[in-house]
Amino acid sequence: MMPAGSLLDTHLTNLAAALVPYRRCESQLARWGADLAHRLAAGGRLLVAGNGGSAAEAQHLTAELVGKLHHDRQPLSAIALHAETSALTAIANDYGYTDVYARQVRAHGRRGDVLLLLSTSGSSPNLVSAAQAARDAGLTTWALTGAAPNPLADACDEVLAVASPDTQVVQELHLVTSHLLCEYLEQELAATTDPAVGHHVPADPAPAGRLGSGPVRAGVDVVLDGGSGQQVDA
């Protein structure tokens, strides 16, 4: 019989191990968030897609952008492509499942928009096809994946790859990434809102390496070994 707590300890150990390299993604998260803030506030659109659990996480992100995370602000255009079920099933039926996202990208995407694709394996053919369609249409392509290299990372302009072989850990850190993107986005919008007119002042997308006005710590302290006090500072 498996000892009590061993599943929990194993999961938290794997999560803690992945958090160490994940903390180095802070500048990328801040840059992506600021870039999205300027693009979406200026009328651009974020398209998001994934399969299975990654589809659910994609829809979580769009809900935060169309609604809000912390602060009341203008609604921002963000569409989870899998949620358009009639279009998705029609495309799958008529063209095949590999094209379910690529065809929607060609329909909805415009030059300057962003396509964000989520995949734990980084090898889903329908996401790779969507990335190729987006690049042909002039969209910026980002990927959230598991360990790289992988085909989706190679097909996109930029990738944030979670260094873990554990699918659950990868999905959990993709959710953290979605929340941090929204936090950095709302921070950037607040910093570039003119109080005299009460709305966002358009600006060029944030340059590479730009950080927000305050760092967001992406790590946690995880206590392992049944509470013995041994800590992993992630």
Side-chain angles (χ1 to χ4, degrees), residues 1-2 8 22 26 28 32-33 38 76-77 84 87 93 104-105 107 119 132 141-142 149 155-156 164 198 212 216 219:
M1 179 178 293
M2 186 173 292
L8 175 63
Y22 182 82
E26 182 178 18
Q28 182 179 7
W32 279 13
H38 293 295
L76 302 170
S77 181
E84 189 63 42
N93 187 62
Q104 291 188 74
V105 167
S119 173
Q132 293 166 344
T141 53
W142 297 341
C156 289
S164 175
V216 175

Side-chain angles (χ1 to χ4, degrees), residues 40-190:
L40 301 187
R45 175 175 291 163
L46 175 68
L47 303 178
V48 190
N51 297 301
S54 294
E57 298 208 20
Q59 197 164 347
H60 186 140
L61 174 59
T62 58
E64 306 282 20
L65 293 172
V66 178
K68 67 175 182 177
L69 184 66
H70 294 304
H71 308 296
D72 192 21
R73 52 162 170 75
Q74 69 185 94
L76 302 170
S77 181
I79 299 175
L81 299 178
H82 69 276
E84 189 63 42
T85 54
S86 293
L88 185 143
T89 53
I91 295 166
N93 187 62
D94 294 341
Y95 299 95
Y97 199 68
T98 298
D99 284 339
V100 293
Y101 296 137
R103 191 166 178 85
Q104 291 188 74
V105 167
R106 289 192 290 268
H108 301 305
R110 300 293 181 267
R111 184 171 298 276
D113 290 347
V114 176
L115 175 67
L116 176 61
L117 300 167
L118 292 79
S119 173
T120 56
S121 69
S123 60
S124 301
N126 59 355
L127 299 181
V128 174
S129 179
Q132 293 166 344
R135 297 189 72 175
D136 290 343
L139 280 72
T140 295
T141 53
W142 297 341
L144 301 182
T145 73
N150 59 69
L152 184 59
D154 292 341
C156 289
D157 296 318
E158 292 191 69
V159 61
L160 192 157
V162 175
S164 175
D166 188 330
T167 296
Q168 296 172 107
V169 167
V170 173
Q171 289 182 334
E172 287 158 17
L173 289 182
H174 284 178
L175 179 57
V176 171
T177 298
S178 292
H179 285 154
L180 285 168
L181 280 177
C182 291
E183 288 197 85
Y184 280 119
L185 177 147
E186 291 190 350
Q187 176 179 274
E188 183 71 13
L189 287 178

